[in-house]
Amino acid sequence: MTETNNRSADFPIDPIFLERWSARSFPGEPMPEDDLLTMFEAARWSHSSGNGQPWRFSYTLRTEPNWQQYVDFLTEGNQPWAQHAGALVIVISKLRTSPTDGSEPKPIRTHSLDTGAALQSFTLQAALMGYVAHPMAGIHADRIRAELGISEADYMAEAAIAVGRLAPREMLSERFRGREVQSQRKPLSEILFKGSFKS
Ligand SMILES: Cc1cc2nc3c(=O)[nH]c(=O)nc-3n(C[C@H](O)[C@H](O)[C@H](O)COP(=O)(O)O)c2cc1C
């Protein structure tokens, strides 16, 4: 069936699903902004409930003066390796509708689900282009909201993404080097129920 270095699918899927992985070793080099925009374009075409498109993104490149500000948006566990990426993206979801007819805003129940789909499109497009896009829930959401001026009532800072080319794992500090391997998955038998469900 479909295989990469140490990943193997039981059914014939496109290799990109195995090739995408969340590496941490980045070379500390700039990346072309247009490459990043191509990844956002892929995210833009994701599906969402009612085509509501509740995903938003804020980003910077390592060549920009505000690079350190975005690095500081990340938690201590993510900063040491993500600071060597070429770009950092903050993934934001919209929590409620903005009616134009004077009616009350309604909660968007699927805001995280929809935005997660856009995240997956982004990371797969990155993988197709030979980039690593590593999602991170380890962010300082309060700080992001305050510094980017995000309304708490309307938006949620969901995650960040570190984007860049893959560097040799030897470039990582010892703390992270041992974890620089492609992870495995639960078997289908554990997550799949035909006409039933088992908790
Ligand atoms: C929503 C989300 C949040 C994540 N948060 C972090 C994080 O804060 N730090 C980290 O090192 N990896 C984080 N990851 C990466 C996961 O650990 C990784 O996707 C998972 O172990 C599967 O590995 P793979 O992406 O290499 O296939 C996150 C992934 C997702 C989808």
Side-chain angles (χ1 to χ4, degrees):
M1 286 298 151
T2 313
E3 294 193 1
T4 64
N5 299 340
N6 73 336
R7 285 176 162 179
S8 165
D10 295 340
F11 288 87
I13 58 175
D14 191 286
I16 197 64
F17 291 101
L18 302 181
E19 288 163 7
R20 182 217 57 79
W21 70 296
S22 302
R24 291 186 177 84
S25 189
F26 293 107
E29 288 166 7
M31 63 178 286
E33 190 164 8
D34 274 3
D35 286 358
L36 195 66
L37 293 176
T38 298
M39 297 167 204
F40 287 126
E41 182 67 24
R44 182 163 84 95
W45 288 100
S46 303
H47 44 44
S48 58
S49 178
N51 201 18
Q53 306 163 62
W55 45 75
R56 302 288 185 274
F57 305 97
S58 173
Y59 74 95
T60 195
L61 298 159
R62 68 174 301 107
T63 45
E64 297 291 332
N66 61 355
W67 177 251
Q68 190 56 45
Q69 180 191 23
Y70 277 63
V71 171
D72 290 340
F73 287 159
L74 310 177
T75 55
E76 189 278 331
N78 289 325
Q79 283 190 19
W81 54 270
Q83 67 176 299
H84 303 296
L88 285 172
V89 177
I90 306 297
V91 182
I92 298 153
S93 68
K94 191 165 191 281
L95 300 174
R96 55 183 196 170
T97 58
S98 312
T100 49
D101 59 2
S103 61
E104 284 296 302
K106 288 199 188 72
I108 302 172
R109 186 173 68 81
T110 56
H111 66 95
S112 286
L113 194 62
D114 295 338
T115 303
L119 171 65
Q120 169 84 339
S121 296
F122 183 101
T123 59
L124 284 174
Q125 179 63 43
L128 281 165
M129 296 164 72
Y131 281 94
V132 169
H134 190 142
M136 295 166 278
I139 54 171
H140 296 298
D142 292 351
R143 183 171 186 159
I144 292 170
R145 258 202 318 271
E147 294 189 21
L148 295 184
I150 299 172
S151 147
E152 189 171 9
D154 291 310
Y155 294 97
M156 176 175 168
E158 300 264 6
I161 318 173
V163 189
R165 295 291 183 190
L166 181 62
R169 66 194 289 277
E170 289 68 33
M171 284 181 73
L172 276 173
S173 68
E174 231 171 85
R175 176 180 171 193
F176 297 103
R177 209 174 301 154
R179 292 154 67 185
E180 192 71 342
V181 287
Q182 292 184 340
S183 56
Q184 299 301 322
R185 290 298 185 267
K186 294 180 170 79
L188 269 185
S189 59
E190 207 178 308
I191 60 164
L192 189 61
F193 308 95
K194 190 174 182 184
S196 65
F197 185 73
K198 208 166 133 234
S199 322

